[in-house]
Amino acid sequence: MAAILDFDHKEEDALNPSLVDRVPFAGLGTRIEIFKEGRYRAFVQDLECVWRWEIHRDDEFVQEGCSLSESSSREAVGHVISFYQRRDLGQAAKEGAQN
């Protein structure tokens, strides 16, 4: 069976948050904080089939994902937060050069 691609949506729609509410997944597992440093916090939650992780910057949601184990969630979160922190440093350096 061939995949059906929808080319009617605008590209910027991919950047907008999902219309699906962020469900707290109550009863499916305890949310565990695995990272807290500076502007960033991260949490994981065991959903039995996958581990869901989410990252917050300045207490606002920025990214989520899923991994097959808690350790792979921690690794994924570490890579993503590292990217955000490097970007923050680059922006700070750029702003410092402009002043």
Side-chain angles (χ1 to χ4, degrees):
M1 174 189 256
I4 299 172
L5 301 176
D6 177 13
F7 293 105
D8 293 333
H9 73 282
K10 295 182 180 176
E11 186 173 316
E12 61 267 13
D13 289 344
L15 303 177
N16 294 330
S18 170
L19 298 177
V20 178
D21 291 334
R22 299 206 175 279
V23 181
F25 296 103
L28 292 178
T30 304
R31 193 169 93 153
I32 303 166
E33 183 175 58
I34 60 168
F35 184 88
K36 183 175 184 179
E37 183 181 303
R39 304 172 64 191
Y40 295 93
R41 293 176 72 193
F43 304 90
V44 295
Q45 190 170 23
D46 183 4
L47 301 179
E48 296 185 11
C49 58
V50 295
W51 283 78
R52 178 181 177 269
W53 52 266
E54 60 182 48
I55 297 172
H56 297 254
R57 178 179 50 234
D58 299 330
D59 294 322
E60 291 190 26
F61 172 84
V62 289
Q63 188 164 340
E64 68 182 350
C66 290
S67 298
L68 294 177
S69 67
E70 181 180 3
S71 62
S72 60
S73 293
R74 290 176 183 271
E75 185 176 348
V77 164
H79 289 298
V80 174
I81 288 177
S82 176
F83 167 80
Y84 283 127
Q85 289 175 330
R86 283 192 313 271
R87 190 178 69 176
D88 290 349
L89 287 173
Q91 287 176 343
K94 190 184 283 187
E95 290 171 4
Q98 291 175 353
N99 293 332

